[in-house]
């Protein structure tokens, strides 16, 4: 039973990781690519880690997987924030499809 | 006081990560936690006694469930935009006002926003959050403030402030 649940979680995780990778290729500019890179990939990895927790139960590997989830969460959100702010300050323009830019006034 | 709390928290964290209750392990963990708390203690929460109030943990658990739900919605939303042949996106950066005051609360709000449907926080200047949004649904500031921060702000206020 636990094996079944862990397989389902790991499958979902790999699927979301795949969607994130497709997003990185298909979306038009840096900012939108970061959207795919943070959300889909973080949920994918968290889902794989939950699968590992179900596979090993509350033993040492399972607890490590559980502890890794908040670390991954804070690392990926902070990393995305730093990357997107750095990209803007580096001078890369928003893509052609963009409709609004409130940040322009705040930077100057 | 906040240095001691940070020391205890990081020691517990170390023990969970290594998962061995031997004397050398505890000594190495104490030294590592001591160094961490000396360097980063001044960035820790200002009022440590708030950690002892049980109702904050209650709201935190409710917040976790709401957060996981929003996170799932976010992923399905991004998956839909990525796989759709015409790619329905209207990206842009919007400015959102927050009513949260403490730095810790703003940090948690910005991180939560980053994980929810199509939004990444770009910067925080005073009370304003700058947010990159993959699909701007409305041009009206009040409406999009409600869409972006509405789900989280009241819970974060109860957890942290």
């Amino acid at each position: 039973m636990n094996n079944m649940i862990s397989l389902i979680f790991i499958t979902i995780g790999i699927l979301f990781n795949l969607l994130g990778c497709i997003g990185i290729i298909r979306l038009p500019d840096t900012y939108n690519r970061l959207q795919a890179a943070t959300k889909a990939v973080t949920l994918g990895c968290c889902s794989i880690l939950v699968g590992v927790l179900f596979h090993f139960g509350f033993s040492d590997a399972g607890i490590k997987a559980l502890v890794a989830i908040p670390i991954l969460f804070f690392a990926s959100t902070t990393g995305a924030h730093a990357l997107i702010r750095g990209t803007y300050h580096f001078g890369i323009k928003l893509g052609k499809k963009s409709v609004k830019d409130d940040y322009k006034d705040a930077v100057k | 006081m906040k240095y001691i709390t940070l020391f205890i928290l990081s020691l517990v964290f170390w023990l969970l990560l290594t998962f061995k209750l031997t004397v050398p392990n505890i000594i190495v963990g104490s030294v590592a936690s001591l160094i961490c708390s000396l360097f980063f203690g001044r960035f820790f929460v200002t009022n440590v006694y708030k950690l002892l109030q049980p109702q904050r943990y209650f709201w935190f658990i409710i917040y976790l469930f709401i957060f996981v739900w929003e996170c799932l919605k976010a992923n399905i939303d991004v998956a839909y935009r990525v796989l759709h042949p015409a790619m329905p996106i209207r990206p842009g950066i919007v400015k959102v006002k927050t009513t949260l005051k403490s730095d810790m609360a703003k940090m948690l709000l910005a991180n939560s926003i980053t994980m929810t449907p199509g939004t990444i926080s770009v910067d925080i200047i005073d009370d304003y959050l700058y947010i990159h949004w993959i699909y701007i649904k409305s041009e009206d500031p009040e409406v999009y403030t409600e869409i972006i921060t509405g789900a989280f702000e009241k819970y974060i206020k109860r957890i942290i402030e």
Side-chain angles (χ1 to χ4, degrees):
Chain A
M1 187 61 197
N2 269 359
N3 255 332
M4 194 73 190
I5 299 172
S6 83
L7 267 181
I8 292 170
F9 269 109
I10 291 175
T11 315
I12 293 172
I14 291 172
L15 197 70
F16 273 119
N17 275 355
L18 177 71
L19 286 171
C21 296
I22 295 172
I24 292 174
I25 296 168
R26 280 204 70 198
L27 288 167
D29 64 343
T30 322
Y31 302 94
N32 292 312
R33 281 176 180 162
L34 268 172
Q35 299 259 12
T38 50
K39 276 177 261 292
V41 174
T42 309
L43 190 83
C45 293
C46 285
S47 185
I48 290 174
L49 287 170
V50 171
V52 171
L53 173 67
F54 272 104
H55 185 81
F56 287 102
F58 283 95
S59 64
D60 76 355
I63 296 285
K64 277 174 199 170
L66 194 64
V67 171
I69 291 175
I71 299 179
L72 183 67
F73 166 74
F74 280 110
S76 91
T77 46
T78 315
H81 165 72
L83 273 174
I84 202 165
R85 188 171 182 274
T87 312
Y88 200 99
H89 282 263
F90 191 65
I92 291 169
K93 296 276 183 299
L94 288 168
K96 276 177 198 150
K97 279 186 169 180
S98 305
V99 289
K100 204 166 164 57
D101 186 5
D102 283 349
Y103 193 45
K104 199 164 48 187
D105 311 326
V107 175
K108 277 161 195 171
Chain B
M1 193 62 213
K2 57 185 187 180
Y3 289 88
I4 298 167
T5 323
L6 185 59
F7 175 74
I8 293 166
L9 280 179
S10 38
L11 187 59
V12 169
F13 201 70
W14 168 272
L15 289 178
L16 278 177
L17 263 186
T18 52
F19 218 71
K20 256 188 299 185
L21 265 181
T22 54
V23 175
N25 190 34
I26 293 175
I27 293 171
V28 173
S30 317
V31 173
S33 321
L34 191 69
I35 295 169
C36 274
S37 49
L38 282 181
F39 275 108
F40 302 108
R42 63 199 172 93
F43 301 115
F44 200 54
V45 284
T46 39
N47 190 353
V48 180
Y49 297 101
K50 280 182 180 172
L51 282 170
L52 296 174
Q53 296 168 348
Q55 73 269 29
R56 293 182 191 276
Y57 293 97
F58 170 72
W59 286 113
F60 181 69
I61 289 165
I62 290 179
Y63 169 77
L64 266 188
F65 280 104
I66 289 168
F67 178 75
V68 170
W69 171 241
E70 290 286 330
C71 192
L72 279 174
K73 271 198 325 202
N75 280 282
I76 291 160
D77 183 72
V78 169
Y80 163 74
R81 295 193 194 294
V82 165
L83 294 177
H84 196 288
M87 211 180 278
I89 57 172
R90 275 180 88 208
I93 296 177
V94 296
K95 183 177 171 186
V96 166
K97 193 177 190 322
T98 169
T99 52
L100 298 171
K101 288 287 171 284
S102 72
D103 286 349
M104 206 72 175
K106 279 181 196 163
M107 184 275 285
L108 195 57
L109 181 67
N111 276 354
S112 308
I113 284 170
T114 302
M115 293 306 291
T116 50
T119 48
I120 289 188
S121 44
V122 179
D123 207 350
I124 302 176
I125 298 173
D126 298 330
D127 274 350
Y128 292 96
L129 288 162
Y130 292 85
I131 285 158
H132 182 265
W133 201 355
I134 203 166
Y135 190 86
I136 295 179
K137 283 174 189 145
S138 135
E139 296 286 325
D140 182 13
E142 294 215 337
V143 175
Y144 63 64
T145 305
E146 181 58 34
I147 294 175
I148 293 174
T149 66
F152 299 122
E153 212 167 38
K154 52 180 184 283
Y155 292 103
I156 291 176
K157 200 173 263 178
R158 280 175 185 145
I159 294 167
I160 289 181
E161 289 187 343

